[in-house]
């Protein structure tokens, strides 16, 4: 059939289907977020308008925000569906680079369709075109290359026949999953070609489940059998494989304590007797205590990021790590014994290989014993009294949530509170974007999550700094009719970075408002509730925990029935944090004007002496 490049692309998008976790089928691409400009409004915009009855198009108000909302869809559906975002060439396209970075760091699917300059070059230089004196083929969209898993610039309509199968492969592959960028030159979007009907035949995408190599499996089984203090670490790959049940059964059959990474949070019921808690800097003393004593660590579906490993100081010096991962890139890190496989299939075959083997019951019992101590500590942090703290706010939200709900955050101090303090109510019901830790994802990603998860209440916790950095999609969600709850914790600035700054010997500077340069004796403050109301949201300013409890109940009802975001605003303590006591390597100056800084540098050297560089 004769179609433009844009029409063919949209028809192909409509033909892609996906199998959800419950076995039902749904569109692989449930909708498109779009801000139109001269580089995409005519060809791609018209193609989307032709398909508007089948493919929802949601208008964003900031390209970064709408692309982050698309990322939120990918996470909320456990990578079974893919958000799409399109913008014009120039600043609109560059605004989406940050969202591509979020998807790339977190291994999440995202399809970006930025407009591009004319391949004919006849009208050059066009509006918003950046010219490279020595390379006329370079455009601003080349900035996506560093944060794309797959990048292509479509310079002929027929190229879609070759590139679209690769697009589907990357977006649905458990090992290669990440952002795909198709740069679409304005003239090529509008050019037509004869496309075969077969390109638009419906395709059902099911997650592939590669099985492990038998030799690697045999070696891993032997290592585990020799373990006296084994530890099971569950990462995001377990979530995307939908292997939480398999992992829990593995732990139960072999009496192995279980800990979770950031991406693996809420995979294990909080009160499970083998659950030792979240691991790492933003984790728990309970999980870290077991990690320090474990002789063999079975790490499943995790890339073992620095926050998880406490910059590689959380494990014992003589630990053996068996890394079970769908991505060979992650499985071989730090010289671990690698088993390349799907999490569910790999754990199943490891269970078969281990047979009746079980760890020492006394070691298994340590999980519950240590976690009970951490729970008591968190209970103390949540107890009412004084200026409200992050831990108290999280406690209220946790108490009033249900197993169907979904909780989110991304940056500042709140990730530590959710990772370390949240008690799981339902499986895979948390999104802490701590791979890229992108300020602003909290609100934009919540819009995408609300679209993807209409059956429960999506709650996002956000600091005042992130709110001010990117809040435009509150209006987008309110206008579109998508409800969620945003709890805004106002602590007078970038408080967690102030904590890092002063904790490493520095003077408070340019983070808390008290340390920010101003010509005002009494600088203005933001009225977050009034601002949210002006953006079309329901707003609930509160002063204390009792008010928070009542306001959060009312906000949940608005989110469920009012079809718009509800924003709860509360002032919080700027320096009260949940702390697991783990070490984190940061760049402290060797030479400084403050002796406190040079002393902190000496502490960094002491920490580095405990790092594991290769296993």
């Amino acid at each position: 059939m004769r179609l433009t490049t844009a029409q063919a692309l949209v028809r192909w998008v409509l033909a892609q289907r996906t199998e959800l976790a419950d076995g039902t089928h749904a569109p692989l691409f449930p909708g498109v977020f779009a801000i139109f400009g001269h580089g995409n409004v005519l060809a791609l915009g018209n193609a989307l308008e032709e398909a508007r009855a089948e493919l929802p198009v949601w208008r964003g108000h900031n390209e970064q925000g709408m692309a982050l909302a698309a990322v939120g869809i990918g996470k909320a559906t456990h990578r079974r569906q893919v958000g799409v975002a399109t913008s014009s060439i120039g600043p609109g396209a560059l605004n989406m680079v940050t969202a591509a970075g979020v998807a790339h760091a977190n291994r999440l699917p995202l399809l970006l369709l930025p407009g591009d300059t004319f391949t004919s070059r006849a009208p050059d230089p066009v509006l918003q075109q950046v010219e490279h004196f020595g390379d006329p083929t370079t455009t601003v969209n080349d900035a996506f290359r560093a944060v794309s898993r797959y990048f292509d610039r479509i310079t002929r309509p027929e190229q879609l026949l070759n590139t679209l199968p690769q697009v589907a492969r990357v977006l649905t592959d458990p090992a290669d999953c990440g952002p795909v960028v198709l740069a679409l030159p304005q003239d090529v979007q509008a050019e037509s070609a004869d496309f075969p009907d077969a390109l638009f035949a419906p395709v059902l995408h099911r997650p592939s489940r590669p099985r492990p190599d038998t030799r690697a499996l045999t070696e891993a089984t032997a290592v585990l059998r020799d373990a006296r203090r084994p530890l099971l670490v569950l990462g995001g790959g377990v979530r995307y494989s939908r292997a939480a049940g398999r992992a829990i059964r593995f732990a139960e059959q072999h009496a192995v304590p279980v800990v979770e990474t950031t991406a693996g949070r809420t995979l294990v019921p909080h009160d499970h007797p083998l659950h030792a808690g979240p691991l790492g800097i933003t984790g728990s003393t309970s999980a870290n205590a077991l990690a320090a004593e474990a002789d063999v660590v079975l790490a499943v579906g995790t890339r073992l990021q620095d926050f998880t490993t406490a910059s590689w100081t959380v494990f014992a010096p003589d630990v053996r790590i068996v890394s079970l991962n769908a991505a060979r890139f992650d499985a071989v890190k730090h010289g671990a014994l690698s088993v390349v496989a799907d999490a569910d299939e790999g754990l199943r075959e490891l269970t078969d290989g281990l047979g009746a083997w079980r760890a020492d019951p006394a070691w298994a019992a340590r999980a519950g014993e240590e976690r009970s101590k951490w729970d008591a500590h968190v209970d103390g942090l949540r107890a009412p009294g004084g200026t409200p703290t992050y831990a108290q706010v999280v406690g209220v939200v946790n108490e009033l949530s249900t197993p169907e709900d979904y909780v989110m955050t991304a940056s500042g101090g709140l990730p530590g509170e959710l990772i370390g303090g949240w008690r799981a109510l339902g499986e895979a019901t948390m999104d802490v974007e701590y791979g890229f830790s992108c300020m602003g994802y909290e609100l934009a990603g919540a819009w995408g999550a609300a679209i993807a998860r209409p059956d429960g209440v999506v709650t996002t916790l956000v600091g005042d700094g992130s709110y001010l950095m990117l809040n435009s999609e509150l209006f987008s969600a309110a206008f579109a009719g998508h409800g969620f709850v945003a709890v805004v914790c106002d602590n007078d600035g970038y408080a967690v970075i102030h904590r890092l700054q002063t904790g490493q010997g520095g003077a408070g500077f340019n983070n808390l408002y008290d340390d920010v340069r101003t010509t005002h004796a009494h600088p203005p403050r933001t009225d977050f509730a009034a601002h949210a109301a002006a953006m079309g949201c329901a707003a609930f300013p509160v002063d204390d925990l009792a008010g928070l409890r009542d306001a959060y109940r009312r906000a949940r009802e608005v989110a469920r029935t009012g079809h718009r975001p509800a924003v709860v605003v509360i002032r919080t303590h700027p320096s009260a944090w949940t702390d697991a006591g783990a070490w984190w390597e940061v760049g402290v100056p060797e030479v400084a004007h403050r002796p406190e800084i040079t002393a902190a540098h000496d502490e960094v050297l002491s920490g580095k002496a405990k790092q594991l560089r290769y296993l």
Side-chain angles (χ1 to χ4, degrees):
M1 60 185 73
R2 191 78 178 177
L3 297 169
T4 66
T5 302
Q7 287 174 316
L9 177 58
V10 170
R11 287 202 182 208
W12 177 84
V13 163
L14 286 169
Q16 309 309 300
R17 306 283 292 173
T18 184
E19 184 177 86
L20 301 179
D22 60 4
T24 60
H25 299 169
L28 178 64
F29 304 100
V32 177
F33 297 92
I35 294 178
F36 290 136
H38 67 279
N40 67 340
V41 67
L42 297 178
L44 185 58
N46 284 330
L48 289 169
E49 190 276 330
E50 290 174 358
R52 65 189 304 172
E54 302 169 88
L55 183 63
V57 175
W58 307 107
R59 199 191 103 172
H61 291 83
N62 176 285
E63 291 87 357
Q64 178 181 326
M66 70 175 189
L68 288 174
V71 175
I73 286 178
K75 185 66 175 287
T77 60
H78 317 306
R79 299 201 310 200
R80 298 297 178 94
Q81 289 184 293
V82 183
V84 185
T86 179
S87 75
S88 186
I89 183 62
L94 287 178
N95 280 347
M96 298 197 297
V97 172
T98 299
V102 171
H104 196 286
N106 291 280
R107 318 293 169 83
L108 293 171
L110 172 68
L111 178 57
L112 296 179
L113 305 174
D116 213 324
T117 55
F118 285 78
T119 57
S120 71
R121 303 183 190 166
D124 283 8
V126 299
L127 180 66
Q128 298 180 329
Q129 180 174 351
V130 173
E131 295 180 280
H132 285 257
F133 294 1
D135 185 0
T137 67
T138 299
T139 76
V140 296
N141 285 336
D142 289 280
F144 283 105
R145 292 182 184 271
V147 286
S148 299
R149 192 71 74 188
Y150 184 86
F151 177 93
D152 197 5
R153 178 175 282 111
I154 305 302
T155 57
R156 293 281 301 170
E158 300 92 330
Q159 290 173 350
L160 290 180
L161 296 170
N162 295 89
T163 204
L164 290 178
Q166 301 300 328
V167 170
R169 172 187 64 81
V170 173
L171 293 174
T172 61
D173 188 274
D176 292 344
C177 187
V180 171
V181 177
L182 294 184
L184 302 173
Q186 188 176 160
D187 50 350
V188 177
Q189 286 183 47
E191 293 173 1
S192 65
D194 291 322
F195 289 94
D197 292 352
L199 180 64
F200 312 115
V203 177
L204 178 63
H205 299 276
R206 295 185 175 94
S208 62
R209 296 193 178 277
R211 297 173 62 184
D213 175 80
T214 54
R215 291 168 296 184
L217 188 71
T218 299
E219 189 174 355
T221 301
V223 170
L224 286 166
R225 280 184 178 277
D226 287 341
R228 293 180 296 111
R229 298 179 303 278
L231 184 66
L232 178 60
V233 179
L234 303 185
V238 178
R239 170 180 181 158
Y240 304 133
S241 176
R242 303 302 286 168
R246 179 82 66 186
I248 293 169
R249 290 191 296 274
F250 176 94
E252 292 170 343
Q253 182 166 333
H254 304 298
V256 179
V258 187
V259 299
E260 298 170 320
T261 72
T262 297
R265 284 293 277 122
T266 67
L267 289 173
V268 183
H270 178 75
D271 293 328
H272 193 286
L274 290 171
H275 182 219
L279 182 65
I281 297 167
T282 51
S284 60
T285 56
S286 52
N288 294 344
L290 267 68
E293 297 181 36
D295 57 355
V296 174
V297 170
L298 174 57
V300 185
T302 172
R303 60 199 181 108
L304 294 175
Q305 183 225 29
D306 70 332
F307 263 68
T308 298
T309 65
S311 298
W312 284 96
T313 63
V314 77
F315 299 121
D318 58 350
V319 71
R320 292 290 307 275
I321 293 185
V322 177
S323 181
L324 170 58
N325 205 295
R328 186 176 299 277
F329 179 88
D330 292 315
V332 304
K333 287 178 177 176
H334 291 270
L337 171 57
S338 62
V339 181
V340 180
D342 167 69
D344 193 73
E345 286 293 320
L347 286 170
R348 181 180 64 80
E349 296 202 20
L350 276 175
T351 298
D352 293 343
L354 289 169
W357 171 83
R358 289 175 63 82
D360 184 346
W363 170 250
R366 285 283 305 283
E369 293 167 2
E370 293 292 340
R371 197 200 66 247
S372 65
K373 298 175 187 176
W374 178 251
D375 285 349
H377 174 66
V378 172
D379 286 341
L381 296 177
R382 289 182 172 186
T387 302
T389 66
Y390 276 5
Q392 292 170 339
V393 171
V394 169
V396 169
V397 174
N398 203 168
E399 173 193 337
L400 298 178
S401 295
T402 71
E404 295 76 30
D405 295 340
Y406 192 69
V407 65
M408 305 176 61
T409 194
S411 61
L414 283 164
E417 306 300 327
L418 280 185
I419 298 166
W422 188 265
R423 293 168 182 175
L425 301 168
E427 181 186 321
T429 50
M430 179 184 288
D431 177 4
V432 176
E433 194 289 286
Y434 223 39
F436 217 51
S437 187
C438 179
M439 296 181 70
Y441 177 80
E442 297 94 335
L443 296 174
W447 180 25
I451 293 172
R453 301 178 70 100
D455 295 333
V457 174
V458 172
T459 296
T460 184
L461 291 101
V462 56
D464 53 309
S466 285
Y467 183 101
L468 290 172
M469 190 168 285
L470 186 61
N471 53 58
S472 55
E473 304 327 305
L474 280 174
F475 176 72
S476 301
F479 186 91
H482 299 125
F484 59 86
V485 179
V487 179
V488 180
C489 297
D490 181 3
N491 59 16
D492 272 340
Y494 302 145
V496 76
I497 299 301
H498 172 82
R499 175 198 186 194
L500 174 63
Q501 184 179 55
T502 57
Q504 298 299 321
F509 175 63
N510 202 49
N511 286 310
L512 294 183
Y513 287 129
D514 284 346
D515 304 319
V516 175
R517 186 169 185 163
T518 176
T519 60
H520 294 286
H522 302 287
R525 289 191 55 86
T526 303
D527 186 335
F528 292 100
H531 181 270
M535 299 281 272
C537 305
F540 301 92
V542 300
D543 297 319
D544 51 32
L545 293 183
L548 174 65
R549 186 169 280 103
D550 177 65
Y552 182 61
R553 286 195 183 98
R554 294 161 61 198
R556 288 174 56 86
E557 189 62 25
V558 170
R560 275 197 299 260
T561 63
H563 306 294
R564 59 176 176 151
V567 177
V568 181
V569 181
I570 184 169
R571 291 294 303 275
T572 51
H573 200 291
S575 59
W577 311 97
T578 301
D579 192 345
W583 182 74
W584 184 34
E585 182 177 359
V586 290
V588 179
E590 290 187 51
V591 180
H593 67 292
R594 291 171 59 88
E596 298 92 339
I597 296 177
T598 52
H601 176 73
D602 292 339
E603 293 180 11
V604 169
L605 296 180
S606 298
K608 286 184 68 62
K610 303 173 186 177
Q611 278 183 312
L612 303 181
R613 298 300 302 274
Y614 203 82
L615 302 170

